[in-house]
């Protein structure tokens, strides 16, 4: 009989925590999981999943227009935000139920309450109950960062955006990253007037420059306004409920909603971690080694709370690797090289590997291939929107070290192509593959 109540106590039922719980349990561990909000975490409840459904919903705006060129009589259509919002939220409820069922099926004990760490092998639930576990896994994710400025309480974050009572006519979005560009596309397609306000002069830092420029250019053509080098000064609430956003270096902007998308910080505050000697970095991320183990040997962490790569599939891999290593007798280390990523903007971006600038710095001698084309569908639709595919090749080895794409379905195409980049295939391997015609993806094997 173990001296502990559980073999593993997981805090946080998001992507990483649920995967770790389920796999550890399937390896025979007695697992408990505490979640203070909803099972599924950011991705399922207020992130990737509802966002992607809104992206689909938004894209109909263009599809319905384009359909006329394809022979369909489409009357002028009206968009009903409340209907889409409620359908999306119902789908989120359904998924939350499925996650709960999976935990049930794996006999994971779920505590729907906040838990904090009170010792290297002890947690305390909100009602004061203390539970011991041989190991504790922190998988509490991240939290939207809202910079401090007067009136910041009038802004919403990605936590609230899925629940808006009405569709705002004018939206100001602070930030130039993933969430800013994705929601700019969504609201713009729904007919809102969107202004992105960025503290610097770069959107989507980390992505290839040409691809970013293309998104900027297309977004502006679609009517999204950008203000660069314009940090927020304050937000003022007017008598009619509207907001006035005051900026450095720019005229004030009137808005009905202000969305702050200025990054996410590790959700490590108030968990009792520092008190028991778990080391955090300057941003509050739990410092872990490649085995996901913190400075306290019985305490591990996976996902956004460790601030390695803030992506759901990475958290899932970390959760799986932790459970396999610790409870499955299969030591596994997550490989962070060539992690593909996507921005579900309008149009979307997909990328894997080094950008041109990174490759030049790291490898020196590289070859760059681009295809700048108008998707067949866009040509017939009369939509003057060009896709851009870019391949970065190590000149010394012919190996493809980066792929960057913006255009319709870019993330869908990139996922398959990322296998080739991960496998270390060469430009010649791409060339030797017969094109699949007519498709957009064929551009990847026709690059000259
Ligand atoms: P990002 O890190 O993508 O972008 C943050 C933006 O906010 C940048 O433009 C940054 O500017 C700016 N910023 C940072 N700090 C401040 C500040 N103090 N004041 C003003 N502006 C600031 O964050 P997001 O919030 O968009 O998304 C959070 C994370 O969630 C992403 O990093 C990503 O990992 C994940 N995510 C992934 C998605 C996907 O996979 N498709 C979708 C949505 C989110 P600067 O460039 O100058 O630093």
């Amino acid at each position: 009989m173990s001296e502990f109540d559980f073999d593993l106590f997981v805090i946080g039922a998001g992507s990483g925590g649920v995967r770790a719980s389920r796999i550890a349990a399937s390896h025979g561990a007695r697992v408990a999981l505490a979640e203070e909000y909803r099972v599924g975490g950011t991705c399922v409840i207020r992130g990737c999943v509802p966002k992607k459904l809104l992206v689909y919903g938004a894209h109909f705006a263009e599809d319905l227009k384009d359909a006329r060129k394809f022979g369909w009589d489409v009357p002028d259509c009206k968009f009903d935000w409340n209907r889409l919002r409620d359908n999306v939220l119902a789908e989120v409820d359904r998924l939350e139920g499925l996650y709960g069922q999976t935990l049930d099926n794996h006999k994971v004990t779920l505590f729907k309450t906040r838990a904090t760490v009170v010792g290297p092998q002890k947690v305390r639930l909100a009602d004061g109950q203390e539970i011991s576990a041989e190991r504790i896994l922190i998988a509490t994710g991240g939290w939207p960062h809202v910079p401090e400025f007067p009136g910041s309480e009038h802004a919403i974050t990605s936590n609230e955006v899925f629940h808006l009572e009405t569709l705002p006519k004018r939206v100001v979005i602070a930030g130039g990253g993933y969430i800013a560009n994705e929601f700019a596309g969504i609201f713009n397609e729904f007919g809102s007037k969107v202004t992105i306000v960025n503290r610097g002069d770069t959107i989507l830092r980390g992505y290839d420059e040409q691809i970013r420029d293309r998104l900027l250019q297309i977004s502006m053509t679609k009517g999204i306004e950008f203000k660069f080098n314009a940090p927020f000064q304050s937000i003022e609430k007017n008598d009619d409920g509207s907001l006035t956003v005051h900026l450095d270096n720019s005229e004030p902007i009137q808005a009905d909603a202000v969305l702050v998308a200025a990054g996410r910080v590790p959700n490590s505050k108030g968990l009792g971690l520092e008190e028991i000697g778990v080391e955090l970095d300057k941003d509050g991320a739990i410092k872990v080694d490649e085995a996901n183990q913190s400075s306290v040997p019985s305490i591990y962490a996976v996902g956004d709370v460790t601030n390695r790569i803030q992506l759901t599939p990475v958290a899932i891999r970390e959760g799986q690797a932790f459970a396999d290593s610790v409870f499955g007798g299969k030591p596994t280390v997550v490989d962070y090289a060539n992690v593909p990523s996507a921005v579900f903007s309008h149009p979307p971006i997909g990328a894997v590997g080094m950008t041109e600038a990174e490759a030049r710095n790291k490898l020196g001698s590289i070859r760059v291939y681009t295809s700048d084309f108008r998707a067949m569908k866009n040509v017939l639709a009369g939509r003057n929107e060009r896709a851009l595919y870019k391949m970065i090749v190590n000149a010394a080895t012919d190996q493809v070290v980066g792929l960057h794409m913006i255009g319709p379905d870019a993330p869908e195409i990139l996922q398959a192509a990322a296998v080739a980049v991960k496998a270390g295939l060469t430009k010649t391997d791409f060339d030797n593959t017969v094109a699949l015609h007519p498709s957009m993806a064929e551009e990847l094997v026709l690059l000259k």
Side-chain angles (χ1 to χ4, degrees):
M1 199 48 192
S2 163
E3 60 179 296
F4 299 101
D5 298 326
F6 290 96
D7 300 317
L8 173 66
F9 196 102
V10 180
I11 305 183
S15 301
V18 167
R19 176 59 68 95
S21 302
R22 169 165 85 72
I23 301 300
S26 71
H27 289 312
R30 295 171 308 134
V31 183
L33 170 59
E35 170 58 55
E36 65 180 330
Y37 183 53
R38 295 179 67 181
V39 174
T42 301
C43 176
V44 176
I45 306 296
R46 46 194 176 191
C48 331
V49 171
K51 179 275 308 285
K52 186 71 186 277
L53 292 171
L54 292 187
V55 170
Y56 282 130
H59 210 273
F60 280 102
E62 294 186 1
D63 291 341
L64 287 166
K65 266 191 214 134
D66 294 353
R68 295 182 178 135
K69 286 277 173 101
F70 285 87
W72 294 91
D73 286 329
V74 181
D76 283 339
C77 295
K78 274 213 304 235
F79 170 67
D80 182 346
W81 161 255
N82 294 40
R83 198 187 320 158
L84 175 62
R85 179 202 60 201
D86 291 349
N87 288 343
V88 168
L89 295 180
E91 175 59 7
V92 167
D93 291 346
R94 188 185 72 85
L95 291 172
E96 184 186 10
L98 288 181
Y99 267 67
Q101 256 173 37
T102 304
L103 292 170
D104 247 20
N105 294 344
H106 285 82
K107 307 217 167 353
V108 173
T109 305
L110 179 62
F111 294 101
K112 291 208 77 178
T113 180
R114 181 167 174 81
T116 51
V117 180
V118 288
Q121 293 171 305
K122 191 168 279 184
V123 300
R124 185 183 294 144
L125 306 183
D127 66 2
Q129 188 188 348
E130 292 198 346
I131 296 174
S132 65
E134 191 174 3
R135 292 185 180 83
I136 297 170
L137 177 71
I138 312 294
T140 45
W143 194 254
H145 164 63
V146 180
E148 276 179 34
F149 55 81
S152 62
E153 70 276 10
H154 301 309
I156 58 166
T157 68
S158 55
N159 283 351
E160 293 82 34
V161 72
F162 299 104
H163 297 269
L164 288 173
E165 291 268 318
T166 51
L167 182 69
K169 287 199 173 68
R170 302 159 298 178
V171 187
V172 170
I173 305 180
Y178 282 87
I179 296 176
N181 283 284
E182 292 182 342
F183 275 94
I186 290 168
F187 283 122
N188 182 58
E189 299 291 326
F190 289 157
S192 306
K193 169 71 198 145
V194 178
T195 310
I196 287 191
V197 175
N198 203 1
R199 67 170 174 184
D201 59 3
T202 310
I203 60 165
L204 290 169
R205 201 143 48 90
Y207 279 87
D208 191 89
E209 197 176 337
Q210 260 181 293
I211 301 289
R212 291 192 260 133
D213 283 352
R214 179 60 54 95
L215 177 63
L216 182 60
Q217 178 211 323
I218 295 175
S219 299
M220 285 164 67
T221 308
K222 286 185 195 290
I224 298 171
E225 213 171 299
F226 287 81
K227 294 209 180 291
F228 290 114
N229 301 311
F232 267 49
Q233 262 178 7
S234 62
I235 301 177
E236 198 187 327
K237 188 153 189 165
N238 306 313
D239 291 344
D240 63 356
S242 68
L243 303 169
T244 304
V245 182
H246 297 276
L247 307 168
D248 279 355
N249 312 321
S250 197
E251 292 296 300
I253 314 174
Q254 302 304 319
D256 303 298
V258 178
L259 171 65
V260 172
R264 294 173 59 85
V265 289
N267 202 0
S268 61
K269 273 203 198 122
L271 286 174
L273 294 167
E274 283 162 297
E275 289 83 339
I276 59 150
V278 174
E279 276 180 43
L280 308 182
D281 74 8
K282 63 173 181 23
D283 300 318
I286 299 177
K287 287 193 198 174
V288 288
D289 62 14
E290 62 171 23
N292 300 297
Q293 196 167 25
S294 77
S295 52
V296 173
S298 56
I299 298 188
Y300 295 74
V302 296
D304 286 2
V305 76
T306 64
N307 205 9
R308 286 173 282 186
I309 300 182
Q310 290 185 339
L311 294 177
T312 296
V314 173
I316 290 174
R317 285 206 167 219
E318 289 167 355
Q320 175 94 34
F322 158 78
D324 283 343
S325 304
V326 175
F327 297 102
K330 202 173 95 187
T332 312
V333 171
V334 174
D335 176 2
Y336 295 95
N338 289 318
V339 171
S341 66
V343 185
F344 293 97
S345 41
H346 277 79
I349 290 174
V352 65
M354 286 186 249
T355 63
E356 179 177 350
E358 281 166 352
R360 275 194 204 291
N361 280 338
K362 270 207 183 109
L363 305 173
S365 175
I366 59 169
R367 298 197 305 268
V368 178
Y369 299 87
T370 52
S371 175
D372 190 336
F373 63 98
R374 201 140 71 108
M376 196 190 242
K377 193 167 157 234
N378 281 348
V379 178
L380 190 75
R383 193 168 280 286
N384 189 18
E385 189 179 303
R386 299 183 71 82
L388 179 65
Y389 290 8
K390 188 164 172 183
M391 180 185 277
I392 319 292
V393 176
N394 182 341
T397 60
D398 195 39
Q399 198 180 338
V400 177
V401 294
L403 275 179
H404 310 275
M405 308 164 56
I406 179 168
D409 298 330
E412 304 290 342
I413 299 166
L414 192 274
Q415 173 70 84
V419 177
V421 176
K422 182 76 187 158
L425 299 191
T426 60
K427 172 73 167 69
T428 310
D429 292 319
F430 275 78
D431 294 345
N432 287 343
T433 306
V434 174
L436 198 158
H437 186 71
S439 69
M440 292 176 284
E442 69 179 316
E443 295 298 322
L444 288 176
V445 298
L446 299 173
L447 290 165
K448 290 280 179 305

